[in-house]
Amino acid sequence: FLLLNEGRLVNHFNRVERERWIVGLSKSHSSWINEKLKSRFGISLFVPEDMSAYKEETDFFWGSNNANRGRTDILVYSFPYTAQEAFTEDYLVAMRDSVVRRNVPGSFPNSYMKTEKRFELSYEPITYRGEYRGVLRGLWRMEGDKMGGPFVSHAHLDEKNQRVVVAETFVYAPGTKKAKLLRRGEASLYTFCMD
């Protein structure tokens, strides 16, 4: 039974763990980041309370726990919805690279974040609580710097405002396991709600 249902069992445990994190976030989260996202994007998103640093621009928000070990960050950005192709892997990666190049610098001059394309990315359209989302998973790296790690992003259609709102988490934790950190960040993405 275990061998025949290995994938289903792993998915079940991951889903249960994610729901446990979501319950915890609903009780204890960064209310000031949630308020900033409500006023800037008209969304609600519960992120861990330890996210104390942020950067914001017109259609961009970056929150981070700035931890020395096990750093977890959240990005939220939006762009106009002009065609259904906005919910394809290629389009979302191109938009992601455009946004993070402008807004997520590295430690050195002219260094910036980009999507790592030497390894396969994963794109999956899902429905969660009746809402369609495009889920993109992959690796990021800093061009001109020696940083990188995993990321997960959820793209949402805001029909009312004819835009796509993307919420993303990424992890930087060199030399340590990243799965738990990424799952915790991803649980935040599942709390996303349009106001």
mmCIF file of all heavy atoms in Angstrom, residues 57-95:
data_model
loop_
_atom_site.group_PDB
_atom_site.id
_atom_site.type_symbol
_atom_site.label_atom_id
_atom_site.label_comp_id
_atom_site.label_asym_id
_atom_site.label_seq_id
_atom_site.Cartn_x
_atom_site.Cartn_y
_atom_site.Cartn_z
ATOM 1 N N GLU A 57 7.230 49.932 -3.151
ATOM 2 C CA GLU A 57 7.166 50.808 -4.316
ATOM 3 C C GLU A 57 5.709 50.841 -4.758
ATOM 4 O O GLU A 57 4.854 50.240 -4.114
ATOM 5 C CB GLU A 57 8.072 50.278 -5.433
ATOM 6 C CG GLU A 57 9.539 50.156 -5.070
ATOM 7 C CD GLU A 57 10.243 51.492 -4.866
ATOM 8 O OE1 GLU A 57 9.776 52.509 -5.423
ATOM 9 O OE2 GLU A 57 11.238 51.529 -4.130
ATOM 10 N N THR A 58 5.427 51.468 -5.887
ATOM 11 C CA THR A 58 4.040 51.623 -6.336
ATOM 12 C C THR A 58 3.294 50.299 -6.420
ATOM 13 O O THR A 58 2.245 50.125 -5.817
ATOM 14 C CB THR A 58 3.996 52.337 -7.695
ATOM 15 O OG1 THR A 58 4.664 53.591 -7.544
ATOM 16 C CG2 THR A 58 2.569 52.575 -8.138
ATOM 17 N N ASP A 59 3.801 49.343 -7.169
ATOM 18 C CA ASP A 59 3.133 48.047 -7.338
ATOM 19 C C ASP A 59 3.987 46.910 -6.805
ATOM 20 O O ASP A 59 3.980 45.807 -7.362
ATOM 21 C CB ASP A 59 2.806 47.809 -8.818
ATOM 22 C CG ASP A 59 1.743 48.749 -9.322
ATOM 23 O OD1 ASP A 59 0.781 48.994 -8.575
ATOM 24 O OD2 ASP A 59 1.867 49.247 -10.455
ATOM 25 N N PHE A 60 4.728 47.158 -5.733
ATOM 26 C CA PHE A 60 5.685 46.174 -5.225
ATOM 27 C C PHE A 60 5.825 46.308 -3.714
ATOM 28 O O PHE A 60 5.906 47.412 -3.185
ATOM 29 C CB PHE A 60 7.049 46.405 -5.890
ATOM 30 C CG PHE A 60 8.136 45.500 -5.392
ATOM 31 C CD1 PHE A 60 8.273 44.220 -5.879
ATOM 32 C CD2 PHE A 60 9.023 45.934 -4.418
ATOM 33 C CE1 PHE A 60 9.283 43.380 -5.416
ATOM 34 C CE2 PHE A 60 10.025 45.102 -3.949
ATOM 35 C CZ PHE A 60 10.151 43.825 -4.453
ATOM 36 N N PHE A 61 5.865 45.155 -3.032
ATOM 37 C CA PHE A 61 6.120 45.115 -1.589
ATOM 38 C C PHE A 61 7.048 43.943 -1.297
ATOM 39 O O PHE A 61 6.867 42.849 -1.837
ATOM 40 C CB PHE A 61 4.816 44.935 -0.799
ATOM 41 C CG PHE A 61 5.038 44.919 0.684
ATOM 42 C CD1 PHE A 61 5.038 46.093 1.408
ATOM 43 C CD2 PHE A 61 5.265 43.732 1.355
ATOM 44 C CE1 PHE A 61 5.269 46.088 2.784
ATOM 45 C CE2 PHE A 61 5.501 43.707 2.721
ATOM 46 C CZ PHE A 61 5.500 44.894 3.437
ATOM 47 N N TRP A 62 8.039 44.173 -0.431
ATOM 48 C CA TRP A 62 9.000 43.145 -0.049
ATOM 49 C C TRP A 62 9.103 43.137 1.467
ATOM 50 O O TRP A 62 9.458 44.135 2.077
ATOM 51 C CB TRP A 62 10.340 43.466 -0.683
ATOM 52 C CG TRP A 62 11.498 42.570 -0.361
ATOM 53 C CD1 TRP A 62 11.503 41.385 0.312
ATOM 54 C CD2 TRP A 62 12.862 42.817 -0.735
ATOM 55 N NE1 TRP A 62 12.770 40.869 0.384
ATOM 56 C CE2 TRP A 62 13.624 41.731 -0.261
ATOM 57 C CE3 TRP A 62 13.502 43.837 -1.421
ATOM 58 C CZ2 TRP A 62 15.000 41.651 -0.452
ATOM 59 C CZ3 TRP A 62 14.871 43.750 -1.607
ATOM 60 C CH2 TRP A 62 15.616 42.669 -1.132
ATOM 61 N N GLY A 63 8.755 42.011 2.092
ATOM 62 C CA GLY A 63 8.896 41.839 3.528
ATOM 63 C C GLY A 63 9.894 40.736 3.819
ATOM 64 O O GLY A 63 9.996 39.773 3.060
ATOM 65 N N SER A 64 10.637 40.873 4.915
ATOM 66 C CA SER A 64 11.668 39.885 5.240
ATOM 67 C C SER A 64 11.846 39.765 6.748
ATOM 68 O O SER A 64 11.645 40.735 7.481
ATOM 69 C CB SER A 64 13.005 40.301 4.617
ATOM 70 O OG SER A 64 14.036 39.398 4.974
ATOM 71 N N ASN A 65 12.259 38.575 7.187
ATOM 72 C CA ASN A 65 12.636 38.430 8.586
ATOM 73 C C ASN A 65 14.104 38.795 8.797
ATOM 74 O O ASN A 65 14.566 38.870 9.928
ATOM 75 C CB ASN A 65 12.333 37.016 9.110
ATOM 76 C CG ASN A 65 13.165 35.929 8.467
ATOM 77 O OD1 ASN A 65 14.001 36.179 7.594
ATOM 78 N ND2 ASN A 65 12.915 34.690 8.859
ATOM 79 N N ASN A 66 14.851 39.004 7.704
ATOM 80 C CA ASN A 66 16.265 39.412 7.752
ATOM 81 C C ASN A 66 17.108 38.541 8.673
ATOM 82 O O ASN A 66 18.064 39.017 9.276
ATOM 83 C CB ASN A 66 16.410 40.876 8.158
ATOM 84 C CG ASN A 66 16.473 41.797 6.964
ATOM 85 O OD1 ASN A 66 16.613 41.352 5.833
ATOM 86 N ND2 ASN A 66 16.349 43.080 7.207
ATOM 87 N N ALA A 67 16.743 37.288 8.810
ATOM 88 C CA ALA A 67 17.470 36.376 9.695
ATOM 89 C C ALA A 67 18.852 36.062 9.132
ATOM 90 O O ALA A 67 19.027 35.955 7.916
ATOM 91 C CB ALA A 67 16.680 35.089 9.886
ATOM 92 N N ASN A 68 19.820 35.927 10.020
ATOM 93 C CA ASN A 68 21.167 35.536 9.592
ATOM 94 C C ASN A 68 21.185 34.104 9.092
ATOM 95 O O ASN A 68 21.939 33.760 8.192
ATOM 96 C CB ASN A 68 22.159 35.707 10.740
ATOM 97 C CG ASN A 68 22.403 37.154 11.068
ATOM 98 O OD1 ASN A 68 22.316 38.017 10.201
ATOM 99 N ND2 ASN A 68 22.686 37.438 12.326
ATOM 100 N N ARG A 69 20.379 33.260 9.713
ATOM 101 C CA ARG A 69 20.252 31.870 9.279
ATOM 102 C C ARG A 69 18.766 31.598 9.063
ATOM 103 O O ARG A 69 17.942 31.894 9.902
ATOM 104 C CB ARG A 69 20.799 30.917 10.336
ATOM 105 C CG ARG A 69 22.292 31.058 10.543
ATOM 106 C CD ARG A 69 22.814 30.137 11.637
ATOM 107 N NE ARG A 69 22.458 28.738 11.488
ATOM 108 C CZ ARG A 69 23.120 27.859 10.734
ATOM 109 N NH1 ARG A 69 24.159 28.251 10.050
ATOM 110 N NH2 ARG A 69 22.747 26.600 10.680
ATOM 111 N N GLY A 70 18.424 31.070 7.927
ATOM 112 C CA GLY A 70 17.027 30.753 7.647
ATOM 113 C C GLY A 70 16.199 31.980 7.294
ATOM 114 O O GLY A 70 15.130 32.189 7.835
ATOM 115 N N ARG A 71 16.715 32.770 6.369
ATOM 116 C CA ARG A 71 16.002 33.984 5.957
ATOM 117 C C ARG A 71 14.832 33.624 5.052
ATOM 118 O O ARG A 71 14.962 32.875 4.101
ATOM 119 C CB ARG A 71 16.956 34.912 5.232
ATOM 120 C CG ARG A 71 16.301 36.174 4.770
ATOM 121 C CD ARG A 71 17.302 37.103 4.187
ATOM 122 N NE ARG A 71 16.616 38.064 3.347
ATOM 123 C CZ ARG A 71 17.208 39.100 2.821
ATOM 124 N NH1 ARG A 71 18.488 39.307 3.019
ATOM 125 N NH2 ARG A 71 16.521 39.926 2.075
ATOM 126 N N THR A 72 13.658 34.190 5.368
ATOM 127 C CA THR A 72 12.447 33.995 4.573
ATOM 128 C C THR A 72 11.910 35.359 4.184
ATOM 129 O O THR A 72 11.815 36.263 5.013
ATOM 130 C CB THR A 72 11.381 33.232 5.382
ATOM 131 O OG1 THR A 72 11.938 32.008 5.861
ATOM 132 C CG2 THR A 72 10.173 32.919 4.532
ATOM 133 N N ASP A 73 11.565 35.510 2.907
ATOM 134 C CA ASP A 73 11.069 36.774 2.389
ATOM 135 C C ASP A 73 9.731 36.564 1.688
ATOM 136 O O ASP A 73 9.444 35.464 1.203
ATOM 137 C CB ASP A 73 12.057 37.363 1.390
ATOM 138 C CG ASP A 73 13.372 37.749 2.028
ATOM 139 O OD1 ASP A 73 13.999 36.927 2.732
ATOM 140 O OD2 ASP A 73 13.802 38.878 1.816
ATOM 141 N N ILE A 74 8.950 37.629 1.618
ATOM 142 C CA ILE A 74 7.671 37.632 0.911
ATOM 143 C C ILE A 74 7.698 38.799 -0.069
ATOM 144 O O ILE A 74 8.094 39.914 0.299
ATOM 145 C CB ILE A 74 6.487 37.831 1.891
ATOM 146 C CG1 ILE A 74 6.349 36.669 2.862
ATOM 147 C CG2 ILE A 74 5.188 38.075 1.135
ATOM 148 C CD1 ILE A 74 5.683 35.445 2.319
ATOM 149 N N LEU A 75 7.297 38.545 -1.305
ATOM 150 C CA LEU A 75 7.129 39.604 -2.296
ATOM 151 C C LEU A 75 5.664 39.636 -2.705
ATOM 152 O O LEU A 75 5.031 38.586 -2.850
ATOM 153 C CB LEU A 75 7.959 39.335 -3.554
ATOM 154 C CG LEU A 75 9.464 39.184 -3.419
ATOM 155 C CD1 LEU A 75 10.075 38.876 -4.789
ATOM 156 C CD2 LEU A 75 10.087 40.421 -2.818
ATOM 157 N N VAL A 76 5.143 40.825 -2.933
ATOM 158 C CA VAL A 76 3.822 40.989 -3.533
ATOM 159 C C VAL A 76 3.968 42.058 -4.605
ATOM 160 O O VAL A 76 4.531 43.126 -4.342
ATOM 161 C CB VAL A 76 2.757 41.418 -2.503
ATOM 162 C CG1 VAL A 76 1.413 41.644 -3.183
ATOM 163 C CG2 VAL A 76 2.620 40.369 -1.398
ATOM 164 N N TYR A 77 3.510 41.751 -5.802
ATOM 165 C CA TYR A 77 3.555 42.735 -6.878
ATOM 166 C C TYR A 77 2.381 42.503 -7.813
ATOM 167 O O TYR A 77 1.731 41.455 -7.780
ATOM 168 C CB TYR A 77 4.897 42.694 -7.624
ATOM 169 C CG TYR A 77 5.292 41.366 -8.208
ATOM 170 C CD1 TYR A 77 4.931 41.002 -9.513
ATOM 171 C CD2 TYR A 77 6.058 40.464 -7.464
ATOM 172 C CE1 TYR A 77 5.319 39.789 -10.055
ATOM 173 C CE2 TYR A 77 6.448 39.255 -7.999
ATOM 174 C CZ TYR A 77 6.080 38.919 -9.303
ATOM 175 O OH TYR A 77 6.459 37.714 -9.832
ATOM 176 N N SER A 78 2.101 43.516 -8.615
ATOM 177 C CA SER A 78 0.988 43.392 -9.551
ATOM 178 C C SER A 78 1.393 43.948 -10.900
ATOM 179 O O SER A 78 2.318 44.753 -11.010
ATOM 180 C CB SER A 78 -0.250 44.127 -9.018
ATOM 181 O OG SER A 78 -0.017 45.503 -8.932
ATOM 182 N N PHE A 79 0.673 43.483 -11.920
ATOM 183 C CA PHE A 79 0.867 43.994 -13.276
ATOM 184 C C PHE A 79 -0.463 43.869 -14.008
ATOM 185 O O PHE A 79 -1.326 43.076 -13.616
ATOM 186 C CB PHE A 79 2.004 43.253 -13.996
ATOM 187 C CG PHE A 79 1.861 41.764 -14.072
ATOM 188 C CD1 PHE A 79 1.162 41.154 -15.111
ATOM 189 C CD2 PHE A 79 2.437 40.951 -13.096
ATOM 190 C CE1 PHE A 79 1.043 39.767 -15.178
ATOM 191 C CE2 PHE A 79 2.318 39.569 -13.156
ATOM 192 C CZ PHE A 79 1.626 38.975 -14.206
ATOM 193 N N PRO A 80 -0.665 44.657 -15.068
ATOM 194 C CA PRO A 80 -1.944 44.636 -15.781
ATOM 195 C C PRO A 80 -2.244 43.268 -16.398
ATOM 196 O O PRO A 80 -1.345 42.596 -16.906
ATOM 197 C CB PRO A 80 -1.771 45.685 -16.876
ATOM 198 C CG PRO A 80 -0.643 46.546 -16.416
ATOM 199 C CD PRO A 80 0.248 45.663 -15.588
ATOM 200 N N TYR A 81 -3.511 42.895 -16.329
ATOM 201 C CA TYR A 81 -3.973 41.663 -16.985
ATOM 202 C C TYR A 81 -4.470 42.042 -18.367
ATOM 203 O O TYR A 81 -5.479 42.723 -18.509
ATOM 204 C CB TYR A 81 -5.090 41.009 -16.173
ATOM 205 C CG TYR A 81 -5.672 39.776 -16.829
ATOM 206 C CD1 TYR A 81 -4.930 38.612 -16.919
ATOM 207 C CD2 TYR A 81 -6.959 39.785 -17.355
ATOM 208 C CE1 TYR A 81 -5.436 37.474 -17.513
ATOM 209 C CE2 TYR A 81 -7.489 38.640 -17.954
ATOM 210 C CZ TYR A 81 -6.725 37.495 -18.027
ATOM 211 O OH TYR A 81 -7.237 36.372 -18.626
ATOM 212 N N THR A 82 -3.725 41.653 -19.380
ATOM 213 C CA THR A 82 -4.080 42.022 -20.751
ATOM 214 C C THR A 82 -4.494 40.833 -21.600
ATOM 215 O O THR A 82 -5.154 41.008 -22.617
ATOM 216 C CB THR A 82 -2.907 42.740 -21.440
ATOM 217 O OG1 THR A 82 -1.738 41.900 -21.367
ATOM 218 C CG2 THR A 82 -2.606 44.067 -20.747
ATOM 219 N N ALA A 83 -4.091 39.637 -21.203
ATOM 220 C CA ALA A 83 -4.435 38.443 -21.981
ATOM 221 C C ALA A 83 -4.327 37.214 -21.091
ATOM 222 O O ALA A 83 -3.637 37.223 -20.074
ATOM 223 C CB ALA A 83 -3.500 38.296 -23.173
ATOM 224 N N GLN A 84 -4.996 36.141 -21.510
ATOM 225 C CA GLN A 84 -4.973 34.902 -20.746
ATOM 226 C C GLN A 84 -3.569 34.312 -20.649
ATOM 227 O O GLN A 84 -3.271 33.569 -19.723
ATOM 228 C CB GLN A 84 -5.929 33.886 -21.373
ATOM 229 C CG GLN A 84 -6.223 32.719 -20.471
ATOM 230 C CD GLN A 84 -7.342 31.849 -21.018
ATOM 231 O OE1 GLN A 84 -7.968 32.162 -22.022
ATOM 232 N NE2 GLN A 84 -7.588 30.740 -20.355
ATOM 233 N N GLU A 85 -2.688 34.677 -21.573
ATOM 234 C CA GLU A 85 -1.319 34.159 -21.526
ATOM 235 C C GLU A 85 -0.564 34.626 -20.283
ATOM 236 O O GLU A 85 0.512 34.120 -19.974
ATOM 237 C CB GLU A 85 -0.552 34.553 -22.783
ATOM 238 C CG GLU A 85 -0.181 36.018 -22.842
ATOM 239 C CD GLU A 85 0.659 36.374 -24.066
ATOM 240 O OE1 GLU A 85 0.848 35.532 -24.945
ATOM 241 O OE2 GLU A 85 1.134 37.504 -24.117
ATOM 242 N N ALA A 86 -1.134 35.580 -19.536
ATOM 243 C CA ALA A 86 -0.511 36.015 -18.282
ATOM 244 C C ALA A 86 -0.389 34.863 -17.298
ATOM 245 O O ALA A 86 0.450 34.887 -16.412
ATOM 246 C CB ALA A 86 -1.307 37.155 -17.658
ATOM 247 N N PHE A 87 -1.220 33.828 -17.468
ATOM 248 C CA PHE A 87 -1.179 32.667 -16.575
ATOM 249 C C PHE A 87 -0.499 31.487 -17.260
ATOM 250 O O PHE A 87 -0.993 30.373 -17.248
ATOM 251 C CB PHE A 87 -2.589 32.319 -16.088
ATOM 252 C CG PHE A 87 -3.063 33.253 -15.022
ATOM 253 C CD1 PHE A 87 -3.725 34.419 -15.347
ATOM 254 C CD2 PHE A 87 -2.789 33.004 -13.687
ATOM 255 C CE1 PHE A 87 -4.132 35.303 -14.360
ATOM 256 C CE2 PHE A 87 -3.188 33.880 -12.693
ATOM 257 C CZ PHE A 87 -3.859 35.034 -13.035
ATOM 258 N N THR A 88 0.674 31.766 -17.844
ATOM 259 C CA THR A 88 1.527 30.710 -18.379
ATOM 260 C C THR A 88 2.884 30.816 -17.690
ATOM 261 O O THR A 88 3.258 31.895 -17.197
ATOM 262 C CB THR A 88 1.719 30.843 -19.909
ATOM 263 O OG1 THR A 88 2.381 32.081 -20.182
ATOM 264 C CG2 THR A 88 0.386 30.763 -20.642
ATOM 265 N N GLU A 89 3.608 29.733 -17.669
ATOM 266 C CA GLU A 89 4.925 29.726 -17.016
ATOM 267 C C GLU A 89 5.845 30.781 -17.606
ATOM 268 O O GLU A 89 6.463 31.565 -16.872
ATOM 269 C CB GLU A 89 5.553 28.337 -17.132
ATOM 270 C CG GLU A 89 6.921 28.242 -16.506
ATOM 271 C CD GLU A 89 7.543 26.867 -16.635
ATOM 272 O OE1 GLU A 89 6.815 25.863 -16.514
ATOM 273 O OE2 GLU A 89 8.762 26.798 -16.867
ATOM 274 N N ASP A 90 5.947 30.821 -18.944
ATOM 275 C CA ASP A 90 6.876 31.757 -19.578
ATOM 276 C C ASP A 90 6.548 33.208 -19.239
ATOM 277 O O ASP A 90 7.435 34.006 -18.943
ATOM 278 C CB ASP A 90 6.877 31.564 -21.100
ATOM 279 C CG ASP A 90 7.514 30.250 -21.510
ATOM 280 O OD1 ASP A 90 8.264 29.657 -20.704
ATOM 281 O OD2 ASP A 90 7.264 29.803 -22.644
ATOM 282 N N TYR A 91 5.272 33.558 -19.280
ATOM 283 C CA TYR A 91 4.869 34.936 -19.009
ATOM 284 C C TYR A 91 5.142 35.305 -17.548
ATOM 285 O O TYR A 91 5.676 36.376 -17.262
ATOM 286 C CB TYR A 91 3.386 35.126 -19.331
ATOM 287 C CG TYR A 91 2.967 36.567 -19.445
ATOM 288 C CD1 TYR A 91 3.000 37.225 -20.663
ATOM 289 C CD2 TYR A 91 2.549 37.284 -18.318
ATOM 290 C CE1 TYR A 91 2.619 38.548 -20.782
ATOM 291 C CE2 TYR A 91 2.173 38.612 -18.422
ATOM 292 C CZ TYR A 91 2.203 39.242 -19.647
ATOM 293 O OH TYR A 91 1.837 40.556 -19.750
ATOM 294 N N LEU A 92 4.781 34.414 -16.635
ATOM 295 C CA LEU A 92 4.995 34.694 -15.212
ATOM 296 C C LEU A 92 6.480 34.804 -14.869
ATOM 297 O O LEU A 92 6.878 35.646 -14.063
ATOM 298 C CB LEU A 92 4.309 33.643 -14.346
ATOM 299 C CG LEU A 92 2.787 33.721 -14.320
ATOM 300 C CD1 LEU A 92 2.197 32.517 -13.598
ATOM 301 C CD2 LEU A 92 2.309 35.020 -13.676
ATOM 302 N N VAL A 93 7.315 33.965 -15.492
ATOM 303 C CA VAL A 93 8.755 34.042 -15.251
ATOM 304 C C VAL A 93 9.303 35.357 -15.803
ATOM 305 O O VAL A 93 10.101 36.038 -15.148
ATOM 306 C CB VAL A 93 9.496 32.832 -15.858
ATOM 307 C CG1 VAL A 93 11.005 33.042 -15.855
ATOM 308 C CG2 VAL A 93 9.144 31.560 -15.100
ATOM 309 N N ALA A 94 8.862 35.759 -16.996
ATOM 310 C CA ALA A 94 9.322 37.023 -17.579
ATOM 311 C C ALA A 94 8.919 38.208 -16.707
ATOM 312 O O ALA A 94 9.735 39.120 -16.456
ATOM 313 C CB ALA A 94 8.770 37.185 -18.993
ATOM 314 N N MET A 95 7.694 38.215 -16.216
ATOM 315 C CA MET A 95 7.248 39.298 -15.344
ATOM 316 C C MET A 95 8.010 39.277 -14.019
ATOM 317 O O MET A 95 8.413 40.325 -13.509
ATOM 318 C CB MET A 95 5.739 39.205 -15.088
ATOM 319 C CG MET A 95 4.895 39.529 -16.290
ATOM 320 S SD MET A 95 5.280 41.127 -17.058
ATOM 321 C CE MET A 95 4.878 42.271 -15.759
#
